[in-house]
Amino acid sequence: MNSFGRIFRVSIFGESHGESVGINIDGCPAGLNLSAEDLLPDLERRKGGKGKGTTPRQEADYPFFKSGVFNGKTTGFPITILFENNNTRSEDYQKQRSFPRPGHADFTAHEKFGGNEDYRGGGHFSARLTTGLVAAGAIAKKLLQQITVNATLIEVGGLKDIEQGLQKAIDAKDSVGGIVECVVKGLPVGLGEPYFDSLESTLAHMMFAIPAVKGIEFGSGFAAAAMFGTEHNDVIENMTGKTTTNHAGGIVGGISNGNDLVFRLAIKPTSSTPKVQRSLNWETGQMEDFSIKGRHDLCVALRAPVIVEACTAIVLVDSMMLENRINRIPRVLQPVAHKVESIYHITTNDAWMKAKETGYYESASLASEGFIHCSTEAQVAGTLERFFAGQTNLVKLLIDPTKLVHELKYEQATDVDMLFPHVYGAINIDAVVEVITL
Ligand SMILES: Cc1cc2nc3c(=O)[nH]c(=O)nc-3n(C[C@H](O)[C@H](O)[C@H](O)COP(=O)(O)O)c2cc1C
Ligand SMILES: C=C(O[C@@H]1CC(C(=O)O)=C[C@@H](OP(=O)(O)O)[C@H]1O)C(=O)O
């Protein structure tokens, strides 16, 4: 409903002309340095009342921390940030109340909430609530560290020239839409799940929370439908997953593939246009001419890029947390870096030579017990002594567990009271990082 995220979870609240709008952020790690100053640059980028084509409504948009920050650091508990509404002009909305604005949520909200909704300034549907999203996004960006998220306006009113596109609206005394492109650099491989929680799904889910967003495409997007497979396929260059082209937009199988994440959003023209429209007057029951007075953005896409960046950062932090790449406990605020211990397997040189020919290594125990016995660094000398005493022509394989294609489990040994690493399948030889002759 009004919340999003599985671990890094945001909940928005407020109305355009109510006392305040804001956000509650649960799941933010403790120990992150955080003050209002960290949020101000992005909040400033979102503000209206500045440039041509944006709403004249001016608000301070100063973030008041109501919980979750102590001594300049996050506490690990919910962070509540509030923004005051001080520049409301609700009479604009009273005057035109007989017309549910076509393209805005006046009609749908009224039907759904039975007339109890606060309709002033678009109420809870107003883009005023994106202030909180931008604040949460600024925190998420801090957590992403070296991963960069950049959104830019690449088209207004169907034109690449933003000024000309805007002029088109001014000349027509109407509103126009636009396209925002977002590029994320430095994402690791592996964010996102197959099927329902694919990275495309969670990003799209979040992007459609931004008012006026009507479409999203990843990479070559809709153009992919007209391409040949050989044109669209992104050739993989090496084991980092780097591809020569990026038609996929950085996501394959719902999972980030290590290339730039690239997507574009179609943003509709502002529904509240000064141009005369003919629509239902729900008091008279007649279709009538009317024109929307009051303060509105001529092109809402102008203010959207920083909101898109924020929403992207929120999704990515949540996805990173699911992968334990950002942890909620302060000791691992550094990205990734959870150390995986190397393991060893002792075998004969002949068996290793055979493995090199086939590309994988199998021991007799794989057939008889279902797994290959391995040892940790601390255990390997004992294993050698107990099972290989007096044998020659032996090698010790040093294995990187992160490279194994089959499952690794630590299980109780039968002869000693210790957990030993067991590989449940053949060992792919690229997981063997060193071969030590004994
Ligand atoms: C930054 C921003 C500013 C907006 N400003 C206005 C506005 O001044 N007037 C308006 O009618 N809609 C504005 N909108 C769009 C409406 O909030 C939105 O169209 C409405 O809530 C209905 O939702 P929907 O378009 O997603 O269906 C703005 C959207 C954004 C992202
Ligand atoms: C105030 C903001 O944008 C508002 C978004 C908005 C809408 O319908 O979304 C309608 C207008 O509200 P008002 O009539 O009160 O001026 C905009 O000004 C803001 O984003 O901070």
Side-chain angles (χ1 to χ4, degrees):
M1 294 229 278
N2 290 292
S3 302
F4 178 93
R6 295 150 296 190
I7 302 179
F8 189 79
R9 190 166 170 79
V10 295
S11 303
I12 46 172
F13 56 86
E15 293 87 17
S16 185
H17 292 196
E19 194 176 296
S20 55
V21 294
I23 195 135
N24 187 275
I25 305 152
D26 206 357
C28 182
L32 181 74
N33 289 324
L34 189 64
S35 69
E37 279 63 41
D38 293 314
L39 313 185
L40 294 179
D42 274 359
L43 289 168
E44 194 59 36
R45 285 173 69 201
R46 197 212 71 91
K47 273 187 188 172
K50 293 194 299 188
K52 190 162 78 172
T54 67
T55 175
R57 177 170 170 183
Q58 282 186 330
E59 294 279 5
D61 285 354
Y62 186 82
F64 292 100
F65 288 94
K66 295 291 174 181
S67 95
V69 180
F70 181 58
N71 287 335
K73 285 182 192 288
T74 55
T75 58
F77 298 99
I79 301 168
T80 302
I81 306 172
L82 222 89
F83 300 89
E84 291 174 350
N85 292 325
N86 290 313
N87 184 8
T88 56
R89 260 183 25 193
S90 302
E91 58 283 6
D92 291 346
Y93 289 85
Q94 245 95 45
K95 277 186 228 150
Q96 61 189 25
R97 184 61 182 151
S98 45
F99 291 94
R101 290 170 295 163
H104 215 294
D106 300 346
F107 177 81
T108 49
H110 185 268
E111 291 303 293
K112 186 174 173 74
F113 299 104
N116 295 298
E117 73 285 355
D118 180 352
Y119 56 84
R120 302 165 304 163
H124 189 66
F125 297 87
S126 166
R128 178 96 196 106
L129 276 81
T130 60
T131 326
L133 287 173
V134 168
I139 297 173
K141 282 179 184 175
K142 283 191 82 157
L143 291 166
L144 286 175
Q145 300 193 356
Q146 80 281 20
I147 296 169
T148 59
V149 183
N150 282 299
T152 42
L153 184 61
I154 60 167
E155 213 176 288
V156 165
L159 301 175
K160 300 274 177 227
D161 186 315
I162 307 300
E163 277 298 315
Q164 272 186 24
L166 200 54
Q167 196 55 44
K168 204 169 125 177
I170 295 166
D171 295 344
K173 296 194 174 54
D174 207 340
S175 55
V176 283
I179 297 179
V180 171
E181 183 174 76
C182 186
V183 179
V184 181
K185 290 188 181 292
L187 267 194
V189 185
L191 304 184
E193 307 296 322
Y195 290 93
F196 309 114
D197 280 351
S198 74
L199 192 56
E200 286 143 320
S201 317
T202 48
L203 281 165
H205 188 166
M206 180 54 128
M207 293 307 143
F208 282 111
I210 303 174
V213 166
K214 291 306 277 183
I216 185 165
E217 64 172 12
F218 292 89
S220 51
F222 273 61
M227 294 166 88
F228 286 116
T230 46
E231 274 179 276
H232 187 264
N233 285 346
D234 299 314
V235 173
I236 302 167
E237 290 183 357
N238 56 43
M239 280 309 287
T240 65
K242 183 179 179 305
T243 55
T244 311
T245 51
N246 190 12
H247 297 295
I251 304 176
V252 176
I255 297 167
S256 62
N257 69 0
N259 292 273
D260 289 356
L261 167 66
V262 182
F263 65 89
R264 283 171 294 279
L265 298 172
I267 300 185
K268 76 182 195 185
T270 322
S271 63
S272 304
T273 158
K275 194 138 187 142
V276 173
Q277 300 177 80
R278 193 164 179 80
S279 192
L280 176 74
N281 177 331
W282 58 13
E283 282 167 10
T284 65
Q286 303 296 313
M287 299 275 287
E288 293 174 20
D289 281 350
F290 78 107
S291 154
I292 293 167
K293 308 284 183 297
R295 308 170 299 183
H296 293 281
D297 293 281
L298 208 56
C299 175
V300 306
L302 294 173
R303 297 172 57 206
V306 68
I307 307 170
V308 173
E309 285 178 13
C311 288
T312 305
I314 292 167
V315 172
L316 294 178
V317 163
D318 191 46
S319 307
M320 295 275 282
M321 284 184 160
L322 275 175
E323 291 294 308
N324 290 328
R325 286 176 178 273
I326 298 174
N327 283 339
R328 287 192 55 208
I329 26 181
R331 64 176 176 272
V332 263
L333 266 181
Q334 293 78 18
V336 199
H338 55 148
K339 192 173 172 294
V340 180
E341 194 188 5
S342 296
I343 56 170
Y344 294 88
H345 176 76
I346 300 166
T347 188
T348 62
N349 193 39
D350 295 350
W352 172 239
M353 286 302 145
K354 187 168 168 241
K356 286 219 301 196
E357 277 167 31
T358 57
Y360 57 88
Y361 170 85
E362 286 178 333
S363 67
S365 73
L366 189 58
S368 58
E369 296 175 80
F371 59 83
I372 300 174
H373 290 273
C374 295
S375 311
T376 63
E377 182 151 26
Q379 293 165 340
V380 70
T383 303
L384 192 61
E385 209 173 288
R386 274 180 285 136
F387 299 102
F388 298 91
Q391 290 189 38
T392 54
N393 197 29
L394 293 177
V395 287
K396 188 166 74 170
L397 309 179
L398 176 64
I399 299 160
D400 177 350
T402 62
K403 294 187 175 156
L404 285 170
V405 294
H406 290 290
E407 194 182 7
L408 172 70
K409 290 188 201 173
Y410 280 80
E411 293 173 315
Q412 182 62 47
T414 45
D415 53 341
V416 281
D417 187 18
M418 268 193 282
L419 295 177
F420 278 81
H422 295 157
V423 180
Y424 275 75
I427 293 173
N428 42 306
I429 60 159
D430 58 309
V432 177
V433 289
E434 200 182 340
V435 180
I436 304 142
T437 306
L438 297 172

